[in-house]
Structures are given as C-alpha cells and as structure tokens.
C-alpha cells in the first residue's frame, strides 16, 4: 500500500464526500475543502443515480441513506411532440436484490453524503477556494484565496466541470465543452398528469426536449433541455420569469403537460448550460489528480454523472491500497477508468444530438427510434454500463 496518511480533497460535492469515505476505508485521513461558504441546499434540480452507482455506495456502506431520499425510476417512455409513443427505455439494470436506479434531488444527495462524511469524522472546511498548489518532496501544498495553506500527501480534485485542480495539473487542459443545450426544471404539486409514478415520460418536443416524473407524494418533477447555439451570459440564466415565458412559447405546439407544468411551477430553477469534458489528456501530475466531473464530465443524458463519480472514489482508494506508490496508483486508476468513462460520454453525446434536430431529421428520428430502442434494450453497451461491479476484495477492477 502507498504511504499516504492524509489527503487534501478539493470539493465537497458527490465525488469529494465519496472519496473521503473511500479513503477512510483504507485507513487514510482526509480533509475536504469547499469553495462555497455553505452547503449546497437547493442547488440544481434532480438527477438519476444508476444502479451501478448505488452498488458503489454499498461498498462504502452509504447506499441506504441515499436511496432513502429518492425513489425508484426503472423506466422511460419516449414520445414525439405529437404525443405519439416512440418506445420505452430503461434507466438501468436492477442489482441482484432488485434495487433499481433512483431519482433524487441533487441537493438531497449532496446533503446526505456530506452528513455521512462528517458523521464518520471527516473534516470539511467551507469558504476555501483553491488558487494554487505546489509539489513538495513527499506531498503537496495547497493555497487558498483567504491566504491559508494546507499540506497533505496528495491532492484530489473533486471540484467539478469547471475544476481549478484540472488547470493546475495541466494549464493547457481543454476547456469544458458547451453542448449547445441549456437545462432547467422545477417541481409542481396539486396538478395531475398522465403518467405512471416512478416512470419517466420524455418528449422530443418540436423546439426543445422535455421530461417529467411523478414522485411517490404525487409531486411532479420536470426538466427542460433547450437548444441554444450560443452560451448565454450569467445574468440572463437567473431571470426565472423571462425563462418561464420562453419555455411556455417553446412547448406551445407540443402535445403533453409541459406548458401546464411550467405555468404552475412556483420557482423555476436557474438555467444552466450543459458542459462536458469528453476527453482529458492529463488526469494527474506529481501528487495531484482529478476525478469525477473534473476529469470526465458526461452530459445529463447519460444518467451516469453521479454514478461515475462514486465509482471513481472507490476505485481510486482501491488503487492506492493495492499499489506500491502514488504514481503507480494514479496510473493504474486512469488505466482502469478512462476507457469506461469515455465510452459513456460518447454514447451520451450521440443521444444529445437527437434532442434538437431540424424538421427532416426529426421525422427520420421518429421513424427509426423505435427500432433503435428495441435494438439497444439489452445491448452490450447498455449492459457494460449497468453490470459494472467494483470488486473491493480483488486486485482487478471489474467483474460481470
């Protein structure tokens, strides 16, 4: 095992808290440094945690509190803007005990993982924005915007798609790729829609993509993906009423509940551009490494962003446990993770291209999509995503 005693983790999100718990499992202490001054209550809308991500959490004995704040969402019904049913898809494959992928509010997932980390004695410091890092003979020194410093045996960047650590490792690292899509969403109570609770309905709208699901308490959770060739400025993203009007106009010609849901939403989430990191040449340097979205952000279409981050956390701890030194551990980690995450990113990118086609492409998509859905329902690519199992006890990374 590497002689690592203390790790500096940058970012208190999904990857950061999961990494701290995974390191604790191999006897490595860590401190999490979060740039924001407080917890992420209310941040984001909702996400799907794949069954493979839940399996990774089980290795950390953290799956129960996470699934408790979500609900099973095993399937998706896809429709055209006319209301025509195009087919069905699955959000994953069940685990051996029948557990399916779960949908939950992003802020609830953050909160639960943070609570689990602190309950296990992991220290978290807020208001610590990393500005610099330098290698030492046997470690790394981190410098923060408030003038403080921290020294550890290694530094792990879990600071998301706009990662500072990624740029410190490689100043020439590619910038996040804007996908041409914006996303927002909200929650509606007291409005009934035609849907099966726990089953997503997704609509290839005439001008934008729309999805919704009914939670166990009958609240409807919805999201929108809006094509936008140019990435908007930050100010315009937070004008909820302007976006309400724009969304109502975008979905006015579609058959479905989109307009009613948007009208009845008390607060529309701030609009966010969707960025990806499709291929990062350099994941580590010296004793610094990036994982999760900082290294390989997929689009939300994949349904795998959170799951891949948790898998990364477990795999990195396992590589540190099973390697003689940090350099070997990092190299082993990248060799194990890069092929898997880049395949998933490429698959999600192909799905994104179907969300904003022109009239002719839309007609072709609606004709061929039912056949594609049937062909991919149990395809090797699909099974590779969800049958992936991290084996904590063995030196290999994956068993089927």
């Amino acid at each position: 095992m590497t002689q690592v005693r203390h790790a500096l983790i940058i970012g208190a999100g999904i990857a950061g808290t999961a990494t701290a718990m995974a390191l604790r499992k191999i006897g490595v202490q860590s401190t999490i440094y979060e740039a924001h001054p407080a917890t992420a209550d209310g941040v984001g809308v909702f996400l799907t945690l794949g069954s493979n991500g839940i399996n990774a959490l089980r290795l950390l004995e953290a799956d129960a509190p996470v699934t408790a704040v979500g609900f099973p969402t095993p399937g998706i019904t896809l429709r055209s803007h006319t209301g025509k049913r195009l087919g069905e898809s699955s959000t994953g494959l069940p685990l051996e005990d029948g557990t399916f992928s779960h949908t939950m509010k992003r802020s609830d997932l953050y909160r639960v993982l943070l609570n689990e980390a602190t309950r296990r004695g992991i220290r978290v410091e807020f208001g610590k924005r990393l500005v610099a890092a330098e290698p030492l003979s046997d470690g790394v020194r981190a410098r923060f915007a408030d003038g403080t410093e921290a020294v550890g045996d290694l530094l792990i960047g879990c600071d998301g798609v706009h990662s500072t650590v990624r740029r410190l490792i490689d100043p020439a690292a590619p910038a996040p790729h804007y996908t041409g899509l914006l996303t927002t969403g909200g929650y509606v109570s007291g409005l009934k829609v035609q849907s099966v609770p726990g089953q997503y309905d997704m609509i290839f709208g005439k001008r934008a993509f729309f999805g919704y699901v009914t939670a166990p308490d009958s609240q409807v959770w919805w999201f929108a993906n809006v094509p936008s060739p140019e990435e908007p400025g930050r100010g315009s993203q937070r004008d909820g009423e302007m976006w309400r009007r724009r969304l109502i106009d975008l979905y006015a010609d579609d058959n479905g509940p989109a307009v009613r849901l948007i009208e009845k939403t008390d607060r529309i989430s701030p609009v966010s551009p969707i960025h990806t990191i499709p291929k990062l040449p350099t994941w580590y340097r010296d004793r610094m490494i990036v994982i999760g979205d900082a290294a390989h952000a997929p689009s939300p279409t994949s349904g795998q962003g959170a799951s891949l981050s948790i898998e990364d956390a477990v795999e990195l701890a396992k590589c540190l446990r099973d390697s003689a030194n940090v350099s070997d551990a990092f190299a082993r980690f990248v060799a194990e993770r890069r092929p898997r995450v880049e395949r998933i990113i490429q698959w999600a990118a192909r799905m994104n291209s179907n969300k904003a086609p022109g009239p002719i492409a839309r007609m072709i998509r609606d004709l061929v999509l039912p056949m594609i859905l049937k062909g991919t329902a149990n395809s090797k690519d699909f099974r590779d995503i969800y049958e992936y199992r991290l084996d904590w006890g063995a030196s290999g990374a994956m068993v089927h």
Side-chain angles (χ1 to χ4, degrees):
M1 178 175 169
T2 56
Q3 297 300 307
V4 174
R5 298 175 298 278
H6 185 256
L8 312 179
I9 297 175
I10 308 301
I14 298 166
T17 48
T19 298
M21 289 188 280
L23 291 177
R24 190 175 184 276
K25 192 175 176 72
I26 64 170
V28 174
Q29 299 300 311
S30 62
T31 302
I32 302 175
Y33 298 93
E34 169 57 46
H36 292 93
T39 58
D41 293 342
V43 170
V45 188
F46 55 93
L47 56 79
T48 299
L49 183 64
S51 50
N52 55 304
I54 294 172
N55 181 72
L57 282 175
R58 285 186 176 175
L59 295 175
L60 304 178
E61 299 178 0
D63 58 307
V66 167
T67 55
V69 298
F71 55 95
T73 43
I76 303 168
T77 299
L78 293 158
R79 304 182 189 278
S80 72
H81 74 280
T82 65
K84 177 185 175 182
R85 182 181 172 278
L86 299 175
E88 292 190 354
S89 180
S90 173
T91 61
L93 298 172
L95 298 178
E96 289 75 9
D97 65 354
T99 299
F100 280 97
S101 300
H102 275 54
T103 292
M104 61 200 66
K105 294 179 181 179
R106 182 177 291 274
S107 59
D108 283 346
L109 178 57
Y110 284 177
R111 173 178 53 80
V112 169
L113 290 177
L114 183 62
N115 288 346
E116 274 297 301
T118 55
R119 185 182 67 80
R120 299 178 191 199
I122 295 163
R123 184 178 174 187
V124 183
E125 295 191 21
F126 291 95
K128 294 290 183 179
R129 183 170 62 85
L130 183 73
V131 294
E134 60 185 84
L136 305 174
S137 59
D138 57 354
V140 61
R141 175 183 286 112
R143 303 182 189 276
F144 301 97
D146 63 1
T148 60
E149 299 180 354
V151 174
D153 296 306
L154 50 82
L155 185 148
I156 305 170
C158 302
D159 48 345
V161 68
H162 299 291
S163 170
T164 296
V165 179
R166 183 175 63 239
R167 295 192 300 272
L168 293 175
I169 289 172
D170 179 11
H177 169 68
Y178 171 55
T179 62
L181 289 171
L182 309 175
T183 187
T184 184
Y187 307 94
V188 179
S189 297
L191 180 64
K192 290 185 178 181
V193 296
Q194 185 178 357
S195 70
V196 177
Q199 177 88 3
Y200 273 101
D201 280 87
M202 297 190 182
I203 302 168
F204 290 98
K206 197 170 184 179
R207 291 185 288 271
F209 189 82
F210 191 82
Y212 63 97
V213 63
T214 301
D217 64 358
S218 298
Q219 187 178 56
V220 181
W221 299 14
W222 64 268
F223 72 90
N225 290 161
V226 177
S228 178
E230 294 186 7
E231 186 174 349
R234 287 184 177 273
S236 63
Q237 295 168 230
R238 296 187 175 276
D239 188 342
E241 290 310 308
M242 182 274 287
W243 275 102
R244 187 191 305 273
R245 293 189 298 271
R246 181 175 174 188
L247 290 170
I248 289 171
D249 180 66
L250 283 170
Y251 296 113
D253 295 335
D254 294 342
N255 188 329
V259 170
R260 288 188 296 134
L261 287 169
I262 294 163
E263 288 175 339
K264 294 293 185 182
T265 301
D266 289 335
R267 177 182 174 274
I268 294 177
S269 178
V271 173
S272 300
I274 297 177
H275 293 95
T276 65
I277 305 290
K279 189 175 182 64
L280 182 67
T282 305
W283 290 26
Y284 69 92
R285 176 172 62 84
D286 299 321
R287 291 196 168 217
M288 298 188 292
I289 190 169
V290 285
I291 71 170
D293 282 355
H296 50 71
S299 78
T301 301
S302 71
Q304 281 291 305
S307 294
L308 293 178
S309 291
I310 297 165
E311 286 181 0
D312 276 4
V314 176
E315 184 63 42
L316 179 59
K318 187 170 177 289
C319 289
L320 288 166
R321 182 197 68 183
D322 297 340
S323 301
N325 57 65
V326 170
S327 180
D328 286 351
F330 285 176
R332 183 175 182 174
F333 170 80
V334 174
E336 293 285 359
R337 297 300 294 163
R338 184 189 288 277
R340 170 169 170 77
V341 300
E342 290 184 356
R343 279 197 304 270
I344 291 173
I345 290 169
Q346 290 168 4
W347 170 77
R350 291 194 297 270
M351 292 296 291
N352 269 350
S353 66
N354 286 322
K355 289 186 174 181
I360 296 175
R362 185 167 63 236
M363 182 177 64
I364 295 171
R365 179 203 61 205
D366 291 353
L367 286 172
V368 303
L369 188 59
M371 292 180 287
I372 293 173
L373 290 172
K374 288 180 181 178
T376 59
N378 195 36
S379 67
K380 182 179 184 301
D381 286 347
F382 186 80
R383 286 185 282 107
D384 282 348
I385 292 174
Y386 292 102
E387 289 182 348
Y388 185 90
R389 298 291 182 267
L390 289 156
D391 184 0
W392 183 259
S395 57
M398 182 175 69
V399 293
H400 281 285

